Amino acid sequence: PTVSADMMLFDFGKTKATADMAKRLYEASKEDTKENINILIYNIKATYYNILFAQAQVKVYEDTVADYELQLNQAWGFYRYGKKPKLDVVTAEYNLGKAQLNLVKAKNILEVAKVQLSKIMGMPEYTNYELSDELTLNLFDITEDDAIKTALDVRPELSAAKKSADAAKMNMRAARREFTPNLGIYGSYGNGLGNDYDISSGKVGIGLTYSGLNVLRIKKQVDEAKAEYKKANAQYEDVKHEVYYNVKKNYMDLETDREAIVIAKL
């Protein structure tokens, strides 16, 4: 009988490149999870404040309806005594009807906002709650440049895009290394028991081997990996530009809203 064995010692980085690619993809998926959490938190906060805004709108339209009811009663009183024309009564009726319609719409918006918040919280049937009013103006002491720098450092979707580009780079590296052989050690041992001659022999050695080398196929795989790397890099740059645009736009909106609040108070 003869026993033989072989073991690969080194594959010129093919396995490492594949492992590095898998690691980057795993890290990118973790960043995607962070982004989904951020989106969920943002949606809950945005819907929360939408409800507070809707509650304030309902209160405003309730007061408006009460005001126009008073104006209508006054218009009827003046009209009965001949001090005002019928047009004032019609105008007051129109204003009251419009205010009542706006109140109905505001109540509907409020109910829809509550349903939306319940859905985001994962309890779509739960609407029996009241929100505390926390509509306070918080001043953010941050410059536009600092806001952009912070976003570029911590935004998870940007980190995920970068890690995906790194993974594509590792994949390209692994594809190129398919041209390289594997360095392995091999050995065998046999004896002549049961034969006419009792002869034992063995051998051991180190060699380079190619496993199913197909140059054309490997070249096409390298070309494909290059294209995927360029695509991933372009996507990373696109996400980077989108983050920059979003922060810049929202910072400008924040400044505009600050001025609008001052004017609204007047």
Side-chain angles (χ1 to χ4, degrees):
T2 300
V3 178
S4 62
D6 61 85
M7 181 179 67
M8 184 181 68
L9 298 178
F10 185 61
D11 63 356
F12 293 90
K14 290 193 285 289
T15 300
K16 184 179 185 303
T18 302
D20 289 342
M21 179 187 69
K23 181 181 179 181
R24 295 298 188 280
L25 290 175
Y26 170 69
E27 291 173 347
S29 67
K30 289 176 65 176
E31 295 298 327
D32 287 336
T33 301
K34 290 181 183 178
E35 171 63 8
N36 290 333
I37 293 173
N38 286 348
I39 291 174
L40 177 61
I41 293 173
Y42 169 79
N43 287 337
I44 290 177
K45 288 188 175 183
T47 307
Y48 177 90
Y49 286 110
N50 284 339
I51 292 177
L52 295 184
F53 178 72
Q55 289 178 167
Q57 274 196 320
V58 169
K59 181 64 171 61
V60 167
Y61 285 123
E62 286 175 344
D63 293 342
T64 304
V65 168
D67 289 340
Y68 281 129
E69 286 176 344
L70 179 60
Q71 290 182 24
L72 178 60
N73 292 332
Q74 290 176 338
W76 270 113
F78 284 124
Y79 173 68
R80 290 192 190 99
Y81 288 99
K83 292 181 181 268
K84 294 289 183 179
K86 181 69 179 292
L87 178 61
D88 284 9
V89 176
V90 175
T91 300
E93 288 176 338
Y94 167 77
N95 289 336
L96 176 59
K98 185 177 180 181
Q100 289 172 333
L101 178 60
N102 287 334
L103 177 58
V104 171
K105 291 181 178 178
K107 288 181 177 179
N108 181 64
I109 291 173
L110 176 58
E111 291 304 314
V112 171
K114 284 187 175 182
V115 171
Q116 185 177 5
L117 180 59
S118 298
K119 176 183 176 183
I120 294 174
M121 291 190 300
M123 300 180 295
E125 304 300 327
Y126 180 64
T127 57
N128 186 25
Y129 55 81
E130 294 293 332
L131 301 184
S132 60
D133 190 345
E134 296 181 3
L135 283 176
T136 57
L137 177 60
N138 296 319
L139 297 179
F140 294 93
D141 187 18
I142 185 173
T143 65
E144 181 180 318
D145 290 339
D146 288 340
I148 292 174
K149 183 179 182 302
T150 300
L152 294 178
D153 288 340
V154 304
R155 285 281 287 266
E157 70 269 36
L158 183 60
S159 179
K162 180 66 171 64
K163 292 183 184 300
S164 294
D166 291 342
K169 184 177 182 179
M170 299 301 175
N171 183 47
M172 181 177 64
R173 183 181 301 173
R176 286 173 173 170
R177 289 178 178 177
E178 287 297 323
F179 284 110
T180 61
N182 295 330
L183 176 65
I185 183 173
Y186 62 89
S188 63
Y189 173 78
N191 60 51
L193 294 178
N195 297 329
D196 294 337
Y197 302 97
D198 185 7
I199 301 176
S200 298
S201 65
K203 63 180 178 178
V204 64
I206 297 177
L208 297 175
T209 60
Y210 280 99
S211 178
L213 180 63
N214 186 324
V215 176
L216 183 61
R217 178 179 64 83
I218 295 176
K219 183 180 183 304
K220 293 299 180 182
Q221 289 176 338
V222 171
D223 292 341
E224 181 182 5
K226 285 181 180 179
E228 288 295 330
Y229 175 58
K230 290 181 179 179
K231 177 183 176 182
N233 255 342
Q235 289 175 337
Y236 166 69
E237 291 297 327
D238 185 58
V239 173
K240 187 176 181 180
H241 294 158
E242 187 68 19
V243 168
Y244 176 86
Y245 166 77
N246 285 338
V247 175
K248 193 174 184 66
K249 178 182 181 302
N250 281 277
Y251 192 90
M252 293 172 64
D253 289 343
L254 178 62
E255 293 298 314
T256 301
D257 290 341
R258 283 174 176 169
E259 297 177 7
I261 288 175
V262 175
I263 297 173
K265 286 180 178 180
L266 294 176

